[in-house]
Amino acid sequence: MTATDWLAVAQRLQALAQVGLAYAPNAFDADRYQEVHALSLQLMASLTDEPVAKLNTLFANEAGYATPKVDVRAVLFRGTEEILMVQEKIDQNRWTLPGGWADVGYTPFEVAMKEAWEETGLETQAVRLLALLDKKRHPHPPQPWYVYKAFVLCEITGGSLQADTPETAGVRWVQRAELRHLPLSTDRVTLSQLEQMLDFAQNPDLPTLCD
């Protein structure tokens, strides 16, 4: 088994432990699920280089039935060869699509528009879902969370590009030919995903991608 396979095992163990702790019928079962939870964090730590204490803090607020986290990315095109990208401050100014975790109380389209506004200064209208991907099926670096990624096509309706925001250090239109030479924030987006998105710019009638 690869490290990715073992990480999937650790994530599944953590999810089972979380569900078990939420619905454990007695103290004996709760103790067992707590041990499974602790073992899953130890395994995650060895695979992600994150300390167990940090992982324990990350999962401390997770309770009830375990479900994937959702990352929403706004996709904006200019013509058929350019896509709007931002530099992520938290990841050494590497490049990604505007976006982030889905917020409770917002629809997926609303999240995409909100993230586009906050990270680029542009007002947008969400048009369609381009892709819903399972993060583990793509070449992202390992992380503790099990994540679905939603890519939402947005059209500009107003605003102006902001070079600096609380989360981003830059924003610009990037041509397809440049993508291979950009330092990407691969935790957030991969080269293959960007190329797939630009395929929609050239052929808007492509069907939605779903893993």
Side-chain angles (χ1 to χ4, degrees), residues 155-174:
E155 293 181 348
I156 299 171
T157 59
S160 59
L161 291 179
Q162 302 297 316
D164 185 74
T165 76
E167 297 180 45
T168 56
V171 56
R172 71 178 179 91
W173 296 100
V174 177

Side-chain angles (χ1 to χ4, degrees), residues 67-140:
T67 60
K69 296 179 75 67
V70 180
D71 174 38
V72 179
R73 296 286 148 182
V75 181
L76 294 94
F77 299 130
R78 187 168 70 175
T80 61
E81 291 292 324
E82 290 184 305
I83 191 168
L84 191 65
M85 299 187 68
V86 297
Q87 289 180 285
E88 191 75 36
K89 285 182 178 179
I90 200 172
D91 193 16
Q92 300 179 324
N93 292 341
R94 293 186 174 95
W95 292 90
T96 182
L97 298 176
W101 294 125
D103 297 301
V104 173
Y106 289 81
T107 69
F109 276 18
E110 288 171 341
V111 173
M113 292 185 292
K114 182 173 77 72
E115 292 289 339
W117 165 250
E118 291 175 349
E119 297 188 4
T120 73
L122 295 176
E123 298 171 358
T124 63
Q125 177 60 53
V127 177
R128 63 168 289 202
L129 177 68
L130 299 180
L132 182 61
L133 306 179
D134 185 328
K135 194 170 184 179
K136 79 174 189 299
R137 292 180 176 267
H138 299 265
H140 297 280

Side-chain angles (χ1 to χ4, degrees), residues 57 63 108:
T57 300

Side-chain angles (χ1 to χ4, degrees), residues 21-36:
L21 288 168
Y23 301 103
N26 57 63
F28 296 104
D29 284 340
D31 286 342
R32 294 186 183 95
Y33 284 122
Q34 190 61 56
E35 184 176 357
V36 172

